[in-house]
Amino acid sequence: MEAALDYPNALARVAQYVLENPKKAVRQTLGELSAASQSGQATIFRLCHELGFKGFTDFKLALAAEIGQHETEPDRGVSLNANVLDDAVSLITRSVANTRQLLQPELLAHAAPLLLNAGHVNIYGSGDSGLAGEVLFHRLRRIGVRARVFANVGYAHEAAEAMTRGDAAIAVSQSGASPDTVEFLRRAHHAGAFSLAITCHTKSSLAKVSDVALQMARLPQPRLSEQMIALPRVVFIAEALAIAIADHAKAGEGTSTNT
């Protein structure tokens, strides 16, 4: 199902919904799942076939079985011991280290002057990604970027439509398929603003409406919530952007001095 997040937009929306709401999805009819995931019934059938199931019923049976298996497994995270803590450190470290391998310095260097010189840098992420947006906002503000973060999707979309070529937008979505976040960046991109996507999926709908896509690593999280794995990656990306912006500013000062 996680691999399906790399599928085309409609298929990815269904996959994202099921991953985020497995217990709801397993109880929903085909029509209810179609409405909840904002995708057609034919798309859901296609996803089931892509995942190797004969149809929607077989898919729901497998999903129900997996949910039941997870609920009967002992909660290894309840006991606070050295092994559990070491596992948490290892998973967080891997998430940051793998993101470093995916992060391309040339993309950071390209984004740095556009963010630093932008009239406004509007930041948006829905759900848990909203916390990631807050992290980016505070880090970029500290180095002089004129950043604003939006928690309300309506305000975010209005701000995106009002942007110009001198502005920039940053959208955060792990799946790259969040409809509100994709629409935010699409509007900003259409307005001519520099559009930066931060996502685990560089072939996602979000990446397609961006000028630059910075990729985060995608890792399973058996004991920690996805939010706890995502935040360290975003902290690292925020710091990487800050370093790139500081380097650009320093290079500009050196050029001015030499001149």
Side-chain angles (χ1 to χ4, degrees):
M1 183 63 73
E2 286 189 352
L5 294 174
D6 288 323
Y7 289 175
N9 188 30
L11 294 174
R13 280 203 305 273
V14 180
Q16 181 190 20
Y17 176 82
V18 174
L19 284 170
E20 293 178 349
N21 308 278
K23 292 183 179 180
K24 284 185 180 180
V26 80
R27 295 193 300 267
Q28 288 174 322
T29 65
L30 179 62
E32 290 170 340
L33 180 58
S34 173
S37 63
Q38 301 179 23
S39 299
Q41 295 185 14
T43 298
I44 296 173
F45 276 120
R46 182 183 169 193
L47 178 63
C48 293
H49 293 155
E50 291 284 348
L51 295 174
F53 298 101
K54 293 181 180 179
F56 181 59
T57 301
D58 288 340
F59 166 72
K60 285 183 65 176
L61 288 172
L63 180 60
E66 184 165 340
I67 291 171
Q69 180 180 353
H70 284 302
E71 289 181 342
T72 56
E73 287 178 350
D75 188 352
R76 300 184 182 89
V78 170
S79 176
L80 185 62
N81 56 52
N83 289 336
V84 172
L85 295 177
D86 288 344
D87 286 349
V89 170
S90 175
L91 192 57
I92 291 173
T93 301
R94 282 169 50 209
S95 74
V96 174
N98 289 6
T99 297
R100 165 61 190 95
Q101 295 300 315
L102 295 170
L103 204 56
Q104 301 177 47
E106 59 271 23
L107 295 182
L108 294 170
H110 176 67
L114 296 168
L115 295 177
L116 179 61
N117 299 322
H120 295 289
V121 177
N122 293 331
I123 304 171
Y124 179 73
S126 64
D128 288 346
S129 292
L131 293 176
E134 293 281 353
V135 169
L136 288 161
F137 164 73
H138 288 292
R139 188 63 186 96
L140 295 179
R141 288 281 290 188
R142 288 185 63 186
I143 56 172
V145 174
R146 292 175 286 274
R148 302 184 297 186
V149 63
F150 294 89
N152 181 285
V153 63
Y155 292 152
H157 287 178
E158 288 178 8
E161 287 186 341
M163 297 178 78
T164 68
R165 292 186 179 276
D167 296 324
I170 301 177
V172 188
S173 171
Q174 294 174 74
S175 67
S178 173
D180 289 341
T181 309
V182 172
E183 180 62 15
F184 162 75
L185 202 63
R186 186 196 67 78
R187 294 187 186 195
H189 186 75
H190 182 73
F194 170 65
S195 304
L196 175 65
I198 299 177
T199 180
C200 294
H201 304 275
T202 55
K203 295 181 180 179
S204 64
S205 300
L206 187 68
K208 290 176 182 177
V209 294
S210 70
D211 297 304
V212 169
L214 301 180
Q215 187 175 9
M216 300 184 292
R218 183 180 64 194
L219 290 174
Q221 55 284 335
R223 296 192 177 117
L224 298 181
S225 70
E226 177 63 20
Q227 176 181 318
M228 291 302 101
I229 298 302
L231 283 179
R233 294 178 300 194
V234 174
V235 169
F236 168 70
I237 288 177
E239 195 61 35
L241 282 170
I243 291 170
I245 290 170
D247 284 348
H248 171 76
K250 185 181 296 184
E253 291 174 0
T255 301
S256 298
T257 302
N258 292 335
T259 301

